Structures are given as C-alpha cells and as structure tokens.
Amino acid sequence: MLLPILALFLGFVLFIYHGRQPRKGVGLPGPPGVPIIGNVLQIPKDRQWLKWAEWKEKYGDVYRISIFGTPTIILSSFQAATDLLETRGNIYSDRPTATMAGELVGWSRGLGYAQASNNPRFRELRRLFHQLMGPRACADDNLLNIQERENKSLLRKLLTDPENFDAHARECTSSLILALTYGYPSNTGDPLGLIKITEDAMHGFAVASEPGKWWVDSVPALKYIPSWFPGGSFQRAAQAMRADLNKLFEIPYQFVKKEITAGRPNPSFLLDHLEEKNGHETAEEEELVQAFGAALYSGGAETTPSALTSFILAMALNPQIRFYHPGLPTFKDRDEGKLLYVSALVKEVWRWNPSVPLGLPHVASEDDEYRGYTIEKGSVVWANVWAILHDPAVFSSPHKFQPDRYLGAASEQANSVVASAFGFGRRICPGMHIASNSVFIAIATILTLFRIEKYVDGEGRVVEPVEEYDGFISHPRAFKCRIEPRFEGIESLLTSEFE
C-alpha cells in the first residue's frame, strides 16, 4: 500500500518542480494552459491532429504546448520538420520515454520506440530492414511476384464479397506480411490464428500510443501502482496488450523453426536470417529477429489497410476518376512508365488522409536554437503530418482529392512533400517500399477490374459516404459503397492468373 502512495506523491512533486522551472531563451508561442497539467484538457482524445492544425493557424508552424509539465513542440510545415528532424537528426532521432506503449506493453523491444542514440540494437534492426526490405530488396522479382499473387487474393474476395472490402484489405495485408516475414502460406486457412494474433497486437499498439491518453506516460512513477490499486486499470490494460504482443513475438517465430526442422520452410525474411546463423543464433539474436517481425507488422498491418480503404472511399466520393489499362496491371508496367496516373493517385491517397497523421514522437536530446527560439533538452517533438500534407501553400485545395497535382512541370514540390506520410530522417518508415508496392498494385488492379460508386439503398436513394477518420493509426469510419465488375470474365481471369 505504501509504494503506490509514495509513487503518487513523487509524481506530484515532480509536476510542481518541473512546472516551476524557468524557460530558457525566448519562449515559443503556443496556447496558454493551466498549472501542472498544461494543455492536457484542451487536447481531444481522438483526432488530435485537427486541433493541432487549428492551433497552427493562430501560433504558426512551430509552437509549444505543455503536457503535464513536459514541453512539447508541434511542427506543422514541411520546412520546419525537415530542418529539425532531418537536417538536425542527430539531435531529434530519439524517442521520448513511452512508459505505456514502450515499457509496460513492450514495444520498446522493437524499432518504433527504440532509442537511436548509441543503441546497437537500433542499428542492427535498421540493418535488417535495409538488407531485407530496402529499395533493392523490394525490387526483386521474387518478392514482387509474391505481392502480385497475394493481391490477386484480394481481388477475388472483392469480386465474391464486395460489401466487406475493409475486412478483405486488412486480412490480405496480414496474409502478405505473414508470407513475406515467416513464409506462412495464405492458402491453408490460417490454422495458427496468426491474423487474429497480429490484429490484437496492433490494436494494442494503436491504443497504447495515443498522445495524452495515459497519465503514466507523463508521470512514469505511476507505473509502480499495482493493477489492483484504485486507478491501476491501466496496468491491467497494459498486461493484456503485452500478452498479445508476446504472442506476436513467439508463435510465428516458432512456426518457422518447426518448418526448418521438418525440412519444408517456405522462403521468407526470417528464413534468410536464420540460414545466415546456421542454427547457432543466440537468445539475444532470436529475440532481435522476433522484434524485427513485430516491427514489420507495426509498420504495415494497419497502415496499408487504412490506405486501401481510404482509396475506396475516395473513389466513391469521386466517381469522375477513370482509368483504363489493357489486361491486369503488373509491376513491370509501372517500371516501364505505363502507369503514371496510378502512381499519382497512390501519392494522393497517402496525402489526402495519411494513415498515421502524427507519426511517432521524437525527443530533443540536447538544447537547440531554431528561428531565435530555444527548444529545451527533453522536449517532445511531434510532426503534424496531417497539417503538413494539407498545407495550402503546397497543395492547392488541400481537402480535395486531386491526383493530377503530382503530374506536370509544377508538381516537383508536391512530389517532394508527400513523402512526409512516411516520416522524417532516421525515423522514416523502414517498410515504406513494401507498403508502396502493396498499395500501388492494389489500386492499379482494382481500378482496372472494378467500378466503385456510392451506395444505393433498397428504395433507390443514394447514400453519401462521410469522410471521417478515427484512431492514432487512422482509418475511415465505416461506410457503404458499390463495388462492381467493369466487365465479364474477371473470375476466370483471376483464377488462371492465381493458379
């Protein structure tokens, strides 16, 4: 009983002490808060990026808020985010201590919440991603063939059951990542239940990462409160999410090990790594490659379905968009420059409603000066990706879905800034090439085979889909639409291609 009370008292003292420390240098502008808790009560529990974009209009593209005494810097322009997170990446590549998601749930074992500075584990995880999923690896014909094959599974599902398009996007993305990472075949009916395991783990990642949701992130001393103590419900939530993450670490890894022992492993990233070790991997190396698999999921299992569902929503809202291509598009067509409009459309999907509107937070590892202001050591730094990708100075009519903005001589700036959807600097998404391939081939083939239109109810009334998004990993709210074949014979086309 004494320990939790002491933890609470210590946290309160730290609040008071930190809140009374004098600011250094000239203070950044920002909304006024209240003592101790700062701006916490002004930040909504969801869609924080919209509130932060609203504050940009009043306080500029770089402003300061306070969350329980922690100085927090919001970057809302491409220039500011590039200046700090890339040009000065040696200062801003670390993550703040994420007590809930990183420590209590356990995501600090992976790449997203690992510290970058002087961290051999971070460097090794980045090396694995570059080796197995870098631009050269993702251009390999074998990998591209797997992505095309798994995409045809998505097309078949849309043909037979178009109403559940969102579930199909999620399931087929999970199947692809499982196939690439562990060689887990997609045609076996998922006997290990890995898709459910990954979905549970990723739901926990999203919930545990929401800014301002968990007091323990701002008062780390609260982590000593036991789960049975009043106010300890966050501990029970963390324990459940950690159990889900542990399953993601262990069960698919053991599947690959058993397949190797049985002499029947399918090609996979994990198999390539284990063959390098030739059965002599240490416990630390085993845990590292488990973290690699989990990091791959955290980067793609939710964001790619979000992008695909956004694309379907955009097509329902913009029926004027048309595309024709003879036959089923392939990556070869893209590489030969035949699908430039599809490439532009993919970029607009990333921009229009980015899958991770705030990215993950950075932290200043030392004091820094920017535009005459001081950014204190320990400040948490967020790039408001949504605001950057809706900057009217870069994207005219930013709320409109306009793929043409990436075509023509005046498109250079838009093409450069849209890459912000994947993050900045050393923290840019390491799975971006796999994700780009997946979304590209899905959009190209869906546009070729299907018409996407607004839903018409039983009484002939058109139901307008609503453009509303929720979640730290942002998904469109449920909506209905019509997905119909453009021509006859699609089933036989996909059957022959699939075989």
Side-chain angles (χ1 to χ4, degrees):
M1 178 69 72
L2 182 60
L3 184 60
I5 294 174
L6 288 175
L8 286 170
F9 177 74
L10 177 61
F12 182 77
V13 171
L14 289 174
F15 273 156
I16 299 296
Y17 174 78
H18 188 72
R20 291 182 175 178
Q21 292 304 294
R23 293 185 181 184
K24 303 174 185 177
V26 181
L28 280 162
V34 298
I36 300 178
I37 65 173
N39 303 100
V40 169
L41 299 180
Q42 299 164 267
I43 301 174
K45 293 183 178 179
D46 197 8
R47 291 182 281 180
Q48 297 88 355
W49 56 90
L50 297 180
K51 185 64 178 180
W52 292 0
E54 177 187 323
W55 283 340
K56 172 193 174 183
E57 299 303 314
K58 184 172 183 180
Y59 301 107
D61 63 328
V62 183
Y63 61 87
R64 183 188 192 275
I65 62 175
S66 172
I67 299 179
F68 288 117
T70 299
T72 302
I73 313 300
I74 312 300
L75 310 177
S76 301
S77 71
F78 181 73
Q79 185 66 57
T82 302
D83 287 346
L84 297 187
L85 306 184
E86 293 195 0
T87 305
R88 308 184 193 184
N90 60 315
I91 298 176
Y92 295 97
S93 291
D94 277 340
R95 296 291 192 213
T97 301
T99 306
M100 186 64 174
E103 185 175 343
L104 296 181
V105 179
W107 283 100
S108 60
R109 292 177 287 173
L111 188 62
Y113 281 106
Q115 298 302 325
S117 301
N118 302 315
N119 186 355
R121 181 186 180 86
F122 177 83
R123 291 195 295 271
E124 180 61 14
L125 282 169
R126 292 288 300 188
R127 185 193 71 81
L128 279 175
F129 268 98
H130 182 76
Q131 174 187 339
L132 300 174
M133 298 176 56
R136 180 177 297 181
C138 288
D140 180 79
D141 287 340
N142 291 326
L143 188 149
L144 294 176
N145 288 339
I146 293 174
Q147 290 193 271
E148 288 182 351
R149 182 193 71 201
E150 295 296 328
N151 179 65
K152 289 163 190 170
S153 177
L154 171 62
L155 299 175
R156 288 161 63 89
K157 291 178 183 293
L158 291 176
L159 182 64
T160 58
D161 182 23
E163 292 184 1
N164 292 307
F165 58 87
D166 51 346
H168 301 327
R170 187 185 300 274
E171 180 180 333
C172 290
T173 299
S174 293
S175 294
L176 171 64
I177 299 177
L178 289 171
L180 293 175
T181 310
Y182 307 107
Y184 189 66
S186 60
N187 59 348
T188 59
D190 190 17
L192 298 180
L194 293 189
I195 292 177
K196 179 64 164 60
I197 288 171
T198 55
E199 288 180 353
D200 290 344
M202 286 312 304
H203 175 73
F205 173 83
V207 172
S209 298
E210 289 189 21
K213 183 178 181 66
W214 307 99
W215 282 39
V216 70
D217 282 332
S218 300
V219 193
L222 295 176
K223 68 184 178 182
Y224 297 111
I225 292 179
S227 59
W228 52 264
F229 193 77
S233 60
F234 73 93
Q235 291 281 20
R236 297 189 292 274
Q239 290 166 8
M241 290 186 281
R242 189 180 187 94
D244 289 335
L245 178 58
N246 288 339
K247 291 179 183 177
L248 178 58
F249 266 56
E250 188 67 23
I251 293 178
Y253 178 80
Q254 292 303 326
F255 163 78
V256 178
K257 297 279 283 187
K258 289 178 181 177
E259 293 296 291
I260 293 174
T261 301
R264 61 189 184 207
N266 289 320
S268 68
F269 296 144
L270 195 58
L271 178 64
D272 291 344
H273 178 76
L274 292 176
E275 284 181 340
E276 283 185 5
K277 302 301 178 182
N278 197 27
H280 299 294
E281 60 274 2
T282 65
E284 182 179 357
E285 289 170 336
E286 282 192 337
E287 199 270 344
L288 185 74
V289 78
Q290 289 175 347
F292 166 79
L296 178 53
Y297 252 95
S298 65
E302 288 291 322
T303 55
T304 298
S306 167
L308 293 179
T309 311
S310 280
F311 157 70
I312 292 174
L313 175 60
M315 294 303 95
L317 290 170
N318 298 274
Q320 76 280 3
I321 292 179
R322 293 287 185 266
F323 171 74
Y324 171 77
H325 182 79
L328 200 61
T330 65
F331 288 117
K332 182 179 179 181
D333 294 320
R334 178 192 64 179
D335 297 340
E336 292 176 352
K338 298 177 181 178
L339 301 173
L340 295 179
Y341 185 75
V342 175
S343 295
L345 204 156
V346 170
K347 291 175 183 177
E348 187 68 345
V349 168
W350 296 129
R351 185 205 69 83
W352 184 55
N353 277 291
S355 299
V356 190
L358 293 176
L360 287 175
H362 300 239
V363 68
S365 59
E366 59 184 69
D367 286 349
D368 190 24
E369 296 290 331
Y370 185 60
R371 299 182 184 176
Y373 299 111
T374 295
I375 297 176
E376 304 144 282
K377 177 181 178 180
S379 296
V380 175
V381 181
W382 291 87
N384 189 346
V385 174
W386 191 93
I388 292 169
L389 296 179
H390 287 76
D391 185 347
V394 180
F395 304 101
S396 61
S397 303
H399 297 284
K400 292 184 179 180
F401 189 87
Q402 295 179 339
D404 291 349
R405 68 175 84 244
Y406 306 99
L407 302 174
S411 65
E412 182 177 351
Q413 186 180 22
N415 278 289
S416 176
V417 175
V418 76
S420 304
F422 292 98
F424 296 88
R426 296 171 68 188
R427 290 296 186 170
I428 196 167
C429 173
M432 62 184 294
H433 303 291
I434 288 266
S436 294
N437 284 348
S438 294
V439 173
F440 176 89
I441 199 63
I443 287 178
T445 53
I446 291 172
L447 275 178
T448 299
L449 300 184
F450 299 99
R451 289 191 303 270
I452 302 174
E453 300 174 341
K454 296 174 183 177
Y455 179 76
V456 179
D457 65 18
E459 298 181 4
R461 292 173 298 193
V462 175
V463 179
E464 290 286 341
V466 179
E467 183 192 337
E468 291 184 341
Y469 284 70
D470 293 303
F472 181 77
I473 300 178
S474 185
H475 290 264
R477 291 185 181 177
F479 65 95
K480 290 185 176 183
C481 67
R482 292 194 301 178
I483 302 177
E484 299 177 341
R486 288 191 181 274
F487 52 84
E488 296 182 359
I490 291 179
E491 184 172 2
S492 59
L493 172 66
L494 292 177
T495 299
S496 60
E497 289 280 358
F498 189 75
E499 291 173 351

